[in-house]
Amino acid sequence: MRKVAKFMNPWNVLITVFFMAVQVAGMLAMPTITANIIDFGVSEGNIDYIVRNGFFMLGFTLLTIVSALLNVLFAAKESQGLGHTLRKKIYRMVIYFTNEELDRFGTSTLITRATNDIMQLQFVMMMVLRTMILAPFLMIGAGAMAYSREPKLAFVFFITMPVLGALIWFILKFSSPLFKSMQRKTDNLNRIFREGLTGIRVIRAFNKDAYERERFDEANWDFALTSIKANTIMAFMMPSMVLAVSVTNILITWFGAQFISTGDMQVGNMVAFMTYAMQILIGVMMVSMVLFFLPRGQVAAERVMEVLETPNLIEDPATPKKLTDTDVSVQFDNVSFRYHGAEATALEDINFTLNKGERLAIIGGTGSGKTTLANLISRLYEVESGQIKVNGIDIRDVKQGELRRLIGFAPQKALLFSGTIRENMKYGRPEATDEEIWHALDVAQGKDFVSGLPKQLDSRVEQGGGNFSGGQRQRLSIARALVTNADILVFDDSFSALDFKTDAKLREALKPDTRDAAVIIIAQRISTVIDADQIIVLDQGTVVGKGTHEELKANNPVYQEIMESQLKGEDI
Amino acid sequence: MAKGGTSNAAHLRAKKANNFWGTVLRLIKYMSTRFWALVATLFLAIAATIMSAQAPHILGRATTEIYRGLQEGRSLQEAGETIDQFPIDFGIIQNVILTVAIVYVTQAVFQFFQQFITARIAQKTVYDMRKELKEKISRLPIKYYDTHSTGDILSRAVNDMDQIANTLQQSLTQFIISVVQFVTVLIVMSLIDLRLTFVTIATVPISLILIAFVAPKSQKQFANQQRELGNVNDHVEETFSGHTVVKTYNREEDEIKKFDDRSDRLNDASLKAQFLSGIMMPLVSFSRDLGYFGVAIVGGMGVANGTMSLGNVQAFIQYVNQFSQPVRQIANLANTIQVTIAACERVFEVLDEEEMTEEASGLEPKRNTPYKVEFEHVQFGYGDEADDALLMNDFNLTVNPGDMIAVVGPTGAGKSTLINLLERFYDVKGGSIRFEGVDTRDIPKPELRTKFSMVLQDTWSFNGTIWDNIAYGSEEHGHDRDRIYAAAKAAHVDDFVRRLPEGYNTILNEEGTNISQGQRQLITIARAFLADPEVLILDEATSSVDTRTEILIQKAMTNLLENRTSFVVAHRLSTIRDADKIIVMNQGDVIETGNHDELMEQDGFYADLYNSQFASYEENEDYA
């Protein structure tokens, strides 16, 4: 929380506090004037005094409301502004994260941190700027006013206030772990429900409806019990606070009567004391409310700050070298890589050179390191040892943006953005013409289905491309990579959801278009890699075979095994 | 993953109840099973409120007595007598304090028990509703899930239920108390002093006018804020999920700019919304202060000219607060209650969905049929209406025990339709699907489904150990350690599980990031092994499995397929060639059936498909 404070505007905070102070002063003036009216106006029968002081009251009322409005204005400005600032910062931060940092946090928590956590923080900050400041002002102010008017009677507050404080402390102490566990249990409950929805077919197919209902019921009942417990403790809160103030009122009346009877105190002060007591109660209630929410804000602040304080692992070099467009090539020299904190290397001693006009295929099972290799070329991760050269220059010596401009990338997960097909196609090259887009779609075997859509290139794409099938998404993603006209094209398992026929057609159409490019195709299917100039067989991060299809077929056991499994009995 | 977030935003955008009172009544019905508890809590709330309204008045009597003694003493002093003490009757004060203490304590006790009971009513009601919703989920047809987004259903079960739970717990009692307090305080006040009551009430319209002025504006800004928030959330979700694409396409700065624009708009909207909602309380306080001012002036004059007692004025100063409080609360709650009723409505909507019905086929079972599975003149389409176009018009197929049927077709050909029909996620529109001669509609679903087992392309696992996830496959063998172990070995789950630090106790997390997609697939295969079905349905079961592991799976599967009938949605050549029959699908319909040789001879769609695959090998042979 404290770290978050440095993102705030101290002037705004100061102004907020100032208007709050004025507001409290106005609030405290009310019982004081009332007491005066009773003691000097009513008792003496001085109507004039009553009216005059009445207008004082009105003045203070107006002052209170005006300063309250200004306080709200600045508090809103500051709390929302803080969220705004943090939101922008965290977004910029995450967008520039390397995959390493992204993996460490996980996408979904980063989304939550940039959205929900910031909202929580704003909400709590608004509470802090309004009530958290108001409460102590009000309590101390009311106590001080009471003391200044009648020190003898003020001792009442010194008895009831600590008692009240202790009560609330106890209640919060016992209830807050319960509320925390309630939060966990709601998450659990919702997770089970979600699983029940996403797995509906499996659940039915395996006759697990009853089991699922039971599992849910257990979590549901568990949650209900905990929240009953938590709310039972909370049920003590209001009555005990009211009781504390009631006791205060009784004490004021009893001792007040004694002091008045001996002429040591004015009767108006007694009435004023009761109002002070109520104001103190309001203050305490406000503090307890803020204390209830404060931990949430703290957790949110910590989660946001954790992201903001994460250093980016990959920075552009201070004096970047220029990448030339001539002599397109990709070269891996003894490249090794391991994921953060992993014991084993994900890639071990990878070597290859790929030149202009050539096609390199990488084949291997899941977890063999294919995608990792693809990601390394775009410098989404940093190599551990060895070096990757693009067009003859170490990729660590050039700006990341410049490097990536050279590469057309179709990632394993064919992810599209909401918008139109045209917008998606232009993602890598905003100046692309419709003609170029159609050509890319044609090569990617997507022309037919796109031209079949009523709005063609203007068709809506839902978030993530959810309104297209897996195969369609892959073809659009491939077309998007082609539109960039990049010198180096990387297709990370981009053909997997295509049927054989489409896969074959696509690779055939790709040939004339990529005559001057270096193409890397990552695949699991033999048929996809069969016509590559060079095939690398990966197994558990190491190269276990390198050559053409014919060479590997003849003498590479791993490759043969893969072939065997896919082309069983086929004589080729 | 993406779905949840968008619908959250969408969910926040539209909130308005269509049938407010109808929904309220229905919600009350839920609580009516706890009728006596409800009556008790109402009684306690009313009693506590009446007492708290009495307290200032009673306490005021002490002040009046003190003031009386004071005035009497003054007049004695004026008459020239010297007194060392004002003649206050402490007996009266003692009585007052005693009475008021009893009132306070009883009120506190009542208040406590009222909340104690409310917590139970609220939580158990929500428990019931959640339970009912979950049970409903298991009675709805698959069609419902295919036509409604998971995100939307989830948002009803999660966000809307939370909203209802919170309101029942907190706002409902507050609302009742506020209404009771408003009425009781009003009555008590008017019984004490009509003039002061009038002054106090006079401030209510002021606050009402202020609220009426600000509230709609504030609601509008809130809706605005929610919309902008939705935009921001959508953008975050989209670009964080597509992080790799954003980076590799060098779009960081553009996306940041887009985000900043959206964040700016959100900030504008939320500033207005927060300000407008924030000033509600000060505005109500303002009218309360005006009441305070009125009571002080009018009361002061009244006491001065002897027509009012000071105690009553003091009581009214407290009443001003007790009276403005419920007005403020109700104003605050009005919106919450609106939102909650709208939430209830959305939950009820799901509860009112039409459930699955079981209709007997009316067909005689065939005795002594040689076939395991038989499709007879099957007609099917996803539409509900009679005139909706059918996807399948007249599909016939006979499957011998032990046959392997391969289903092939281009992407999106509707191969999953066959699974839907076999597992009876959907029923046929015409014709009949028979299992060992009996129409599948005449076999209870649980029984039918123990005979069929499937491995879907979308692997599904739940948040539990690997062990539990495999055990999921069979009710019967789910507790048999040896069988689970055997299934894990057969599906080569054992190989990688042994390398995990927690082994079989590894808890699969929701996003499935702690094991690979291929490993996840293996687990679902193991599940099918354990289920030991008579008919196996594989939906591209091995598409994302490690090619080398695939070899092993193939071997194990060959064993599994022995003496077992199977339907395999296949992409791999070997599967297709080994199949006893091939179903070729395109655009939802079955266009060709037969074995490989027959279909090649037909020289139709299948031949074309096969050749395009084969062509790449031949072409390659040419290079060699």
Side-chain angles (χ1 to χ4, degrees), chain A residues 96-97 108 194-195 204 212 217 418 427 500-501, chain B residues 127 140 238 247 251 253 255 463 472 510-511 571 608:
Chain A
Y96 278 107
F97 265 177
S108 61
R194 182 165 54 241
E195 284 174 354
R204 297 218 172 149
E212 284 295 320
D217 194 50
S418 56
Y427 199 73
F500 284 113
K501 197 173 176 178
Chain B
Y127 166 81
L140 286 174
E238 185 154 41
K247 285 197 83 138
R251 292 296 291 256
E253 283 305 321
E255 297 297 354
N463 187 285
Y472 207 79
E510 210 170 336
E511 289 151 343
H571 269 165
D608 197 27

PDB file of all heavy atoms in Angstrom, chain A residues 96-97 108 194-195 204 212 217 418 427 500-501, chain B residues 127 140 238 247 251 253 255 463 472 510-511 571 608:
ATOM      1  N   TYR A  96       5.319  -5.292 -22.759  1.00  0.00           N
ATOM      2  CA  TYR A  96       6.746  -5.426 -23.053  1.00  0.00           C
ATOM      3  C   TYR A  96       7.416  -6.586 -22.310  1.00  0.00           C
ATOM      4  O   TYR A  96       8.613  -6.782 -22.446  1.00  0.00           O
ATOM      5  CB  TYR A  96       7.488  -4.113 -22.776  1.00  0.00           C
ATOM      6  CG  TYR A  96       7.356  -3.142 -23.936  1.00  0.00           C
ATOM      7  CD1 TYR A  96       6.542  -2.023 -23.850  1.00  0.00           C
ATOM      8  CD2 TYR A  96       8.025  -3.383 -25.134  1.00  0.00           C
ATOM      9  CE1 TYR A  96       6.405  -1.155 -24.918  1.00  0.00           C
ATOM     10  CE2 TYR A  96       7.894  -2.533 -26.203  1.00  0.00           C
ATOM     11  CZ  TYR A  96       7.093  -1.417 -26.103  1.00  0.00           C
ATOM     12  OH  TYR A  96       6.964  -0.580 -27.169  1.00  0.00           O
ATOM     13  N   PHE A  97       6.646  -7.309 -21.531  1.00  0.00           N
ATOM     14  CA  PHE A  97       7.215  -8.476 -20.852  1.00  0.00           C
ATOM     15  C   PHE A  97       7.756  -9.463 -21.881  1.00  0.00           C
ATOM     16  O   PHE A  97       7.210  -9.595 -22.973  1.00  0.00           O
ATOM     17  CB  PHE A  97       6.129  -9.201 -20.058  1.00  0.00           C
ATOM     18  CG  PHE A  97       6.060  -8.806 -18.606  1.00  0.00           C
ATOM     19  CD1 PHE A  97       5.078  -9.337 -17.786  1.00  0.00           C
ATOM     20  CD2 PHE A  97       6.968  -7.922 -18.060  1.00  0.00           C
ATOM     21  CE1 PHE A  97       4.990  -8.982 -16.457  1.00  0.00           C
ATOM     22  CE2 PHE A  97       6.890  -7.568 -16.733  1.00  0.00           C
ATOM     23  CZ  PHE A  97       5.898  -8.097 -15.931  1.00  0.00           C
ATOM     24  N   SER A 108      -3.659 -15.364 -17.025  1.00  0.00           N
ATOM     25  CA  SER A 108      -4.929 -15.032 -16.387  1.00  0.00           C
ATOM     26  C   SER A 108      -4.733 -14.167 -15.147  1.00  0.00           C
ATOM     27  O   SER A 108      -5.509 -13.252 -14.898  1.00  0.00           O
ATOM     28  CB  SER A 108      -5.717 -16.290 -16.055  1.00  0.00           C
ATOM     29  OG  SER A 108      -4.982 -17.071 -15.173  1.00  0.00           O
ATOM     30  N   ARG A 194     -17.770 -24.335 -12.923  1.00  0.00           N
ATOM     31  CA  ARG A 194     -17.205 -24.108 -14.252  1.00  0.00           C
ATOM     32  C   ARG A 194     -16.759 -25.426 -14.873  1.00  0.00           C
ATOM     33  O   ARG A 194     -17.019 -25.701 -16.034  1.00  0.00           O
ATOM     34  CB  ARG A 194     -16.032 -23.131 -14.154  1.00  0.00           C
ATOM     35  CG  ARG A 194     -15.407 -22.808 -15.503  1.00  0.00           C
ATOM     36  CD  ARG A 194     -14.520 -21.585 -15.432  1.00  0.00           C
ATOM     37  NE  ARG A 194     -13.515 -21.693 -14.408  1.00  0.00           N
ATOM     38  CZ  ARG A 194     -13.400 -20.884 -13.374  1.00  0.00           C
ATOM     39  NH1 ARG A 194     -14.214 -19.872 -13.224  1.00  0.00           N
ATOM     40  NH2 ARG A 194     -12.463 -21.059 -12.470  1.00  0.00           N
ATOM     41  N   GLU A 195     -16.099 -26.252 -14.070  1.00  0.00           N
ATOM     42  CA  GLU A 195     -15.660 -27.551 -14.575  1.00  0.00           C
ATOM     43  C   GLU A 195     -16.853 -28.367 -15.035  1.00  0.00           C
ATOM     44  O   GLU A 195     -16.796 -29.072 -16.035  1.00  0.00           O
ATOM     45  CB  GLU A 195     -14.890 -28.312 -13.493  1.00  0.00           C
ATOM     46  CG  GLU A 195     -13.490 -27.800 -13.293  1.00  0.00           C
ATOM     47  CD  GLU A 195     -12.774 -28.456 -12.117  1.00  0.00           C
ATOM     48  OE1 GLU A 195     -13.407 -29.243 -11.376  1.00  0.00           O
ATOM     49  OE2 GLU A 195     -11.584 -28.176 -11.936  1.00  0.00           O
ATOM     50  N   ARG A 204     -21.340 -36.513 -18.735  1.00  0.00           N
ATOM     51  CA  ARG A 204     -22.493 -37.343 -19.111  1.00  0.00           C
ATOM     52  C   ARG A 204     -22.045 -38.681 -19.666  1.00  0.00           C
ATOM     53  O   ARG A 204     -22.636 -39.710 -19.387  1.00  0.00           O
ATOM     54  CB  ARG A 204     -23.348 -36.598 -20.118  1.00  0.00           C
ATOM     55  CG  ARG A 204     -23.905 -35.341 -19.492  1.00  0.00           C
ATOM     56  CD  ARG A 204     -25.292 -35.035 -19.905  1.00  0.00           C
ATOM     57  NE  ARG A 204     -25.735 -33.919 -19.065  1.00  0.00           N
ATOM     58  CZ  ARG A 204     -26.580 -33.002 -19.450  1.00  0.00           C
ATOM     59  NH1 ARG A 204     -27.120 -33.067 -20.640  1.00  0.00           N
ATOM     60  NH2 ARG A 204     -26.921 -32.041 -18.628  1.00  0.00           N
ATOM     61  N   GLU A 212     -20.733 -35.340  -9.689  1.00  0.00           N
ATOM     62  CA  GLU A 212     -20.514 -33.902  -9.806  1.00  0.00           C
ATOM     63  C   GLU A 212     -21.423 -33.136  -8.858  1.00  0.00           C
ATOM     64  O   GLU A 212     -21.021 -32.165  -8.232  1.00  0.00           O
ATOM     65  CB  GLU A 212     -20.770 -33.440 -11.241  1.00  0.00           C
ATOM     66  CG  GLU A 212     -19.667 -33.785 -12.208  1.00  0.00           C
ATOM     67  CD  GLU A 212     -18.369 -33.061 -11.880  1.00  0.00           C
ATOM     68  OE1 GLU A 212     -18.402 -31.868 -11.511  1.00  0.00           O
ATOM     69  OE2 GLU A 212     -17.308 -33.703 -11.979  1.00  0.00           O
ATOM     70  N   ASP A 217     -22.196 -30.083  -4.050  1.00  0.00           N
ATOM     71  CA  ASP A 217     -22.968 -29.939  -2.825  1.00  0.00           C
ATOM     72  C   ASP A 217     -22.052 -29.818  -1.606  1.00  0.00           C
ATOM     73  O   ASP A 217     -22.283 -29.009  -0.716  1.00  0.00           O
ATOM     74  CB  ASP A 217     -23.909 -31.133  -2.665  1.00  0.00           C
ATOM     75  CG  ASP A 217     -24.959 -30.865  -1.609  1.00  0.00           C
ATOM     76  OD1 ASP A 217     -25.598 -29.798  -1.687  1.00  0.00           O
ATOM     77  OD2 ASP A 217     -25.117 -31.693  -0.704  1.00  0.00           O
ATOM     78  N   SER A 418     -10.348  -9.388 -31.958  1.00  0.00           N
ATOM     79  CA  SER A 418     -11.675  -8.947 -32.357  1.00  0.00           C
ATOM     80  C   SER A 418     -11.523  -7.760 -33.306  1.00  0.00           C
ATOM     81  O   SER A 418     -10.627  -6.945 -33.167  1.00  0.00           O
ATOM     82  CB  SER A 418     -12.503  -8.565 -31.131  1.00  0.00           C
ATOM     83  OG  SER A 418     -11.839  -7.592 -30.388  1.00  0.00           O
ATOM     84  N   TYR A 427      -2.612  -6.728 -39.483  1.00  0.00           N
ATOM     85  CA  TYR A 427      -2.001  -6.556 -38.163  1.00  0.00           C
ATOM     86  C   TYR A 427      -0.492  -6.368 -38.233  1.00  0.00           C
ATOM     87  O   TYR A 427       0.083  -5.542 -37.528  1.00  0.00           O
ATOM     88  CB  TYR A 427      -2.341  -7.745 -37.268  1.00  0.00           C
ATOM     89  CG  TYR A 427      -2.155  -7.456 -35.804  1.00  0.00           C
ATOM     90  CD1 TYR A 427      -3.053  -6.630 -35.138  1.00  0.00           C
ATOM     91  CD2 TYR A 427      -1.087  -7.980 -35.093  1.00  0.00           C
ATOM     92  CE1 TYR A 427      -2.890  -6.343 -33.801  1.00  0.00           C
ATOM     93  CE2 TYR A 427      -0.917  -7.702 -33.754  1.00  0.00           C
ATOM     94  CZ  TYR A 427      -1.824  -6.878 -33.116  1.00  0.00           C
ATOM     95  OH  TYR A 427      -1.660  -6.582 -31.788  1.00  0.00           O
ATOM     96  N   PHE A 500      -5.343 -33.275 -44.439  1.00  0.00           N
ATOM     97  CA  PHE A 500      -4.202 -33.555 -45.314  1.00  0.00           C
ATOM     98  C   PHE A 500      -4.269 -32.787 -46.626  1.00  0.00           C
ATOM     99  O   PHE A 500      -3.285 -32.265 -47.120  1.00  0.00           O
ATOM    100  CB  PHE A 500      -4.132 -35.053 -45.601  1.00  0.00           C
ATOM    101  CG  PHE A 500      -3.590 -35.835 -44.460  1.00  0.00           C
ATOM    102  CD1 PHE A 500      -4.385 -36.721 -43.754  1.00  0.00           C
ATOM    103  CD2 PHE A 500      -2.266 -35.659 -44.059  1.00  0.00           C
ATOM    104  CE1 PHE A 500      -3.880 -37.434 -42.686  1.00  0.00           C
ATOM    105  CE2 PHE A 500      -1.762 -36.383 -42.986  1.00  0.00           C
ATOM    106  CZ  PHE A 500      -2.573 -37.270 -42.298  1.00  0.00           C
ATOM    107  N   LYS A 501      -5.478 -32.757 -47.164  1.00  0.00           N
ATOM    108  CA  LYS A 501      -5.649 -32.165 -48.475  1.00  0.00           C
ATOM    109  C   LYS A 501      -5.310 -30.667 -48.452  1.00  0.00           C
ATOM    110  O   LYS A 501      -4.528 -30.167 -49.261  1.00  0.00           O
ATOM    111  CB  LYS A 501      -7.106 -32.367 -48.889  1.00  0.00           C
ATOM    112  CG  LYS A 501      -7.355 -32.174 -50.349  1.00  0.00           C
ATOM    113  CD  LYS A 501      -8.801 -32.577 -50.646  1.00  0.00           C
ATOM    114  CE  LYS A 501      -9.134 -32.311 -52.096  1.00  0.00           C
ATOM    115  NZ  LYS A 501     -10.495 -32.742 -52.400  1.00  0.00           N
TER     116      LYS A 501
ATOM    117  N   TYR B 127     -27.749 -21.406  -0.532  1.00  0.00           N
ATOM    118  CA  TYR B 127     -27.305 -22.791  -0.683  1.00  0.00           C
ATOM    119  C   TYR B 127     -28.322 -23.575  -1.522  1.00  0.00           C
ATOM    120  O   TYR B 127     -27.964 -24.284  -2.459  1.00  0.00           O
ATOM    121  CB  TYR B 127     -27.140 -23.435   0.695  1.00  0.00           C
ATOM    122  CG  TYR B 127     -27.020 -24.929   0.672  1.00  0.00           C
ATOM    123  CD1 TYR B 127     -25.808 -25.541   0.370  1.00  0.00           C
ATOM    124  CD2 TYR B 127     -28.129 -25.739   0.927  1.00  0.00           C
ATOM    125  CE1 TYR B 127     -25.696 -26.908   0.322  1.00  0.00           C
ATOM    126  CE2 TYR B 127     -28.025 -27.114   0.882  1.00  0.00           C
ATOM    127  CZ  TYR B 127     -26.814 -27.696   0.585  1.00  0.00           C
ATOM    128  OH  TYR B 127     -26.703 -29.055   0.529  1.00  0.00           O
ATOM    129  N   LEU B 140     -30.400 -30.440 -17.998  1.00  0.00           N
ATOM    130  CA  LEU B 140     -30.605 -29.740 -19.264  1.00  0.00           C
ATOM    131  C   LEU B 140     -29.979 -30.539 -20.409  1.00  0.00           C
ATOM    132  O   LEU B 140     -28.959 -31.191 -20.227  1.00  0.00           O
ATOM    133  CB  LEU B 140     -29.966 -28.350 -19.209  1.00  0.00           C
ATOM    134  CG  LEU B 140     -30.706 -27.311 -18.380  1.00  0.00           C
ATOM    135  CD1 LEU B 140     -29.897 -26.037 -18.293  1.00  0.00           C
ATOM    136  CD2 LEU B 140     -32.080 -27.021 -18.957  1.00  0.00           C
ATOM    137  N   GLU B 238      -7.674  -9.612 -24.391  1.00  0.00           N
ATOM    138  CA  GLU B 238      -7.322  -9.973 -25.750  1.00  0.00           C
ATOM    139  C   GLU B 238      -5.819  -9.854 -25.997  1.00  0.00           C
ATOM    140  O   GLU B 238      -5.192 -10.764 -26.510  1.00  0.00           O
ATOM    141  CB  GLU B 238      -8.095  -9.054 -26.687  1.00  0.00           C
ATOM    142  CG  GLU B 238      -7.913  -9.400 -28.123  1.00  0.00           C
ATOM    143  CD  GLU B 238      -9.094  -8.939 -28.941  1.00  0.00           C
ATOM    144  OE1 GLU B 238      -9.573  -7.823 -28.683  1.00  0.00           O
ATOM    145  OE2 GLU B 238      -9.518  -9.686 -29.823  1.00  0.00           O
ATOM    146  N   LYS B 247       3.679  -9.044 -29.813  1.00  0.00           N
ATOM    147  CA  LYS B 247       5.131  -8.809 -29.813  1.00  0.00           C
ATOM    148  C   LYS B 247       5.760  -9.124 -31.150  1.00  0.00           C
ATOM    149  O   LYS B 247       6.544  -8.349 -31.679  1.00  0.00           O
ATOM    150  CB  LYS B 247       5.797  -9.670 -28.732  1.00  0.00           C
ATOM    151  CG  LYS B 247       5.571  -9.139 -27.362  1.00  0.00           C
ATOM    152  CD  LYS B 247       6.542  -9.734 -26.386  1.00  0.00           C
ATOM    153  CE  LYS B 247       7.842  -8.982 -26.428  1.00  0.00           C
ATOM    154  NZ  LYS B 247       8.409  -8.732 -25.119  1.00  0.00           N
ATOM    155  N   ARG B 251       3.524  -4.742 -32.445  1.00  0.00           N
ATOM    156  CA  ARG B 251       2.401  -3.841 -32.261  1.00  0.00           C
ATOM    157  C   ARG B 251       2.306  -3.305 -30.837  1.00  0.00           C
ATOM    158  O   ARG B 251       1.255  -2.800 -30.452  1.00  0.00           O
ATOM    159  CB  ARG B 251       1.102  -4.565 -32.630  1.00  0.00           C
ATOM    160  CG  ARG B 251       1.012  -4.871 -34.119  1.00  0.00           C
ATOM    161  CD  ARG B 251       0.969  -3.605 -34.937  1.00  0.00           C
ATOM    162  NE  ARG B 251      -0.278  -2.898 -34.739  1.00  0.00           N
ATOM    163  CZ  ARG B 251      -1.268  -2.875 -35.605  1.00  0.00           C
ATOM    164  NH1 ARG B 251      -1.143  -3.491 -36.749  1.00  0.00           N
ATOM    165  NH2 ARG B 251      -2.381  -2.228 -35.356  1.00  0.00           N
ATOM    166  N   GLU B 253       3.423  -0.620 -29.240  1.00  0.00           N
ATOM    167  CA  GLU B 253       3.070   0.797 -29.056  1.00  0.00           C
ATOM    168  C   GLU B 253       1.634   1.087 -29.495  1.00  0.00           C
ATOM    169  O   GLU B 253       0.928   1.853 -28.852  1.00  0.00           O
ATOM    170  CB  GLU B 253       4.063   1.707 -29.790  1.00  0.00           C
ATOM    171  CG  GLU B 253       5.397   1.868 -29.074  1.00  0.00           C
ATOM    172  CD  GLU B 253       5.275   2.360 -27.626  1.00  0.00           C
ATOM    173  OE1 GLU B 253       4.422   3.229 -27.352  1.00  0.00           O
ATOM    174  OE2 GLU B 253       6.023   1.852 -26.764  1.00  0.00           O
ATOM    175  N   GLU B 255      -0.879  -0.991 -29.449  1.00  0.00           N
ATOM    176  CA  GLU B 255      -1.812  -1.538 -28.461  1.00  0.00           C
ATOM    177  C   GLU B 255      -1.820  -0.685 -27.204  1.00  0.00           C
ATOM    178  O   GLU B 255      -2.856  -0.476 -26.590  1.00  0.00           O
ATOM    179  CB  GLU B 255      -1.448  -2.993 -28.124  1.00  0.00           C
ATOM    180  CG  GLU B 255      -1.560  -3.953 -29.298  1.00  0.00           C
ATOM    181  CD  GLU B 255      -2.980  -4.103 -29.848  1.00  0.00           C
ATOM    182  OE1 GLU B 255      -3.927  -3.543 -29.258  1.00  0.00           O
ATOM    183  OE2 GLU B 255      -3.128  -4.767 -30.897  1.00  0.00           O
ATOM    184  N   ASN B 463      -9.891 -30.066 -11.486  1.00  0.00           N
ATOM    185  CA  ASN B 463      -8.910 -29.721 -10.476  1.00  0.00           C
ATOM    186  C   ASN B 463      -8.870 -30.816  -9.413  1.00  0.00           C
ATOM    187  O   ASN B 463      -9.592 -30.789  -8.437  1.00  0.00           O
ATOM    188  CB  ASN B 463      -9.333 -28.374  -9.869  1.00  0.00           C
ATOM    189  CG  ASN B 463      -8.314 -27.835  -8.924  1.00  0.00           C
ATOM    190  OD1 ASN B 463      -8.183 -28.320  -7.804  1.00  0.00           O
ATOM    191  ND2 ASN B 463      -7.579 -26.843  -9.346  1.00  0.00           N
ATOM    192  N   TYR B 472     -11.973 -41.185 -12.674  1.00  0.00           N
ATOM    193  CA  TYR B 472     -13.211 -40.610 -13.160  1.00  0.00           C
ATOM    194  C   TYR B 472     -13.879 -41.489 -14.217  1.00  0.00           C
ATOM    195  O   TYR B 472     -15.081 -41.449 -14.405  1.00  0.00           O
ATOM    196  CB  TYR B 472     -12.899 -39.247 -13.774  1.00  0.00           C
ATOM    197  CG  TYR B 472     -14.039 -38.277 -13.739  1.00  0.00           C
ATOM    198  CD1 TYR B 472     -14.325 -37.600 -12.569  1.00  0.00           C
ATOM    199  CD2 TYR B 472     -14.809 -38.030 -14.860  1.00  0.00           C
ATOM    200  CE1 TYR B 472     -15.361 -36.704 -12.519  1.00  0.00           C
ATOM    201  CE2 TYR B 472     -15.859 -37.131 -14.810  1.00  0.00           C
ATOM    202  CZ  TYR B 472     -16.129 -36.470 -13.645  1.00  0.00           C
ATOM    203  OH  TYR B 472     -17.163 -35.588 -13.596  1.00  0.00           O
ATOM    204  N   GLU B 510      -6.166 -25.684 -13.257  1.00  0.00           N
ATOM    205  CA  GLU B 510      -7.286 -25.442 -14.151  1.00  0.00           C
ATOM    206  C   GLU B 510      -6.844 -25.154 -15.575  1.00  0.00           C
ATOM    207  O   GLU B 510      -7.447 -25.606 -16.536  1.00  0.00           O
ATOM    208  CB  GLU B 510      -8.093 -24.267 -13.629  1.00  0.00           C
ATOM    209  CG  GLU B 510      -9.530 -24.366 -13.986  1.00  0.00           C
ATOM    210  CD  GLU B 510     -10.300 -23.315 -13.234  1.00  0.00           C
ATOM    211  OE1 GLU B 510      -9.830 -22.869 -12.175  1.00  0.00           O
ATOM    212  OE2 GLU B 510     -11.351 -22.946 -13.719  1.00  0.00           O
ATOM    213  N   GLU B 511      -5.775 -24.375 -15.697  1.00  0.00           N
ATOM    214  CA  GLU B 511      -5.326 -24.046 -17.037  1.00  0.00           C
ATOM    215  C   GLU B 511      -4.506 -25.177 -17.639  1.00  0.00           C
ATOM    216  O   GLU B 511      -4.130 -25.127 -18.801  1.00  0.00           O
ATOM    217  CB  GLU B 511      -4.474 -22.768 -17.004  1.00  0.00           C
ATOM    218  CG  GLU B 511      -5.316 -21.554 -16.735  1.00  0.00           C
ATOM    219  CD  GLU B 511      -4.522 -20.481 -16.023  1.00  0.00           C
ATOM    220  OE1 GLU B 511      -3.447 -20.788 -15.461  1.00  0.00           O
ATOM    221  OE2 GLU B 511      -4.979 -19.338 -16.020  1.00  0.00           O
ATOM    222  N   HIS B 571      -7.585 -38.840 -38.748  1.00  0.00           N
ATOM    223  CA  HIS B 571      -6.834 -38.077 -39.722  1.00  0.00           C
ATOM    224  C   HIS B 571      -5.692 -38.908 -40.267  1.00  0.00           C
ATOM    225  O   HIS B 571      -5.083 -38.566 -41.252  1.00  0.00           O
ATOM    226  CB  HIS B 571      -6.279 -36.796 -39.089  1.00  0.00           C
ATOM    227  CG  HIS B 571      -7.212 -35.641 -39.221  1.00  0.00           C
ATOM    228  ND1 HIS B 571      -7.076 -34.496 -38.491  1.00  0.00           N
ATOM    229  CD2 HIS B 571      -8.304 -35.466 -39.982  1.00  0.00           C
ATOM    230  CE1 HIS B 571      -8.043 -33.660 -38.800  1.00  0.00           C
ATOM    231  NE2 HIS B 571      -8.801 -34.233 -39.701  1.00  0.00           N
ATOM    232  N   ASP B 608     -10.538 -38.568 -53.767  1.00  0.00           N
ATOM    233  CA  ASP B 608      -9.913 -37.255 -53.937  1.00  0.00           C
ATOM    234  C   ASP B 608      -9.100 -36.886 -52.703  1.00  0.00           C
ATOM    235  O   ASP B 608      -7.944 -36.468 -52.773  1.00  0.00           O
ATOM    236  CB  ASP B 608     -11.044 -36.239 -54.188  1.00  0.00           C
ATOM    237  CG  ASP B 608     -10.499 -34.958 -54.777  1.00  0.00           C
ATOM    238  OD1 ASP B 608      -9.446 -35.019 -55.444  1.00  0.00           O
ATOM    239  OD2 ASP B 608     -11.129 -33.905 -54.565  1.00  0.00           O
TER     240      ASP B 608
END
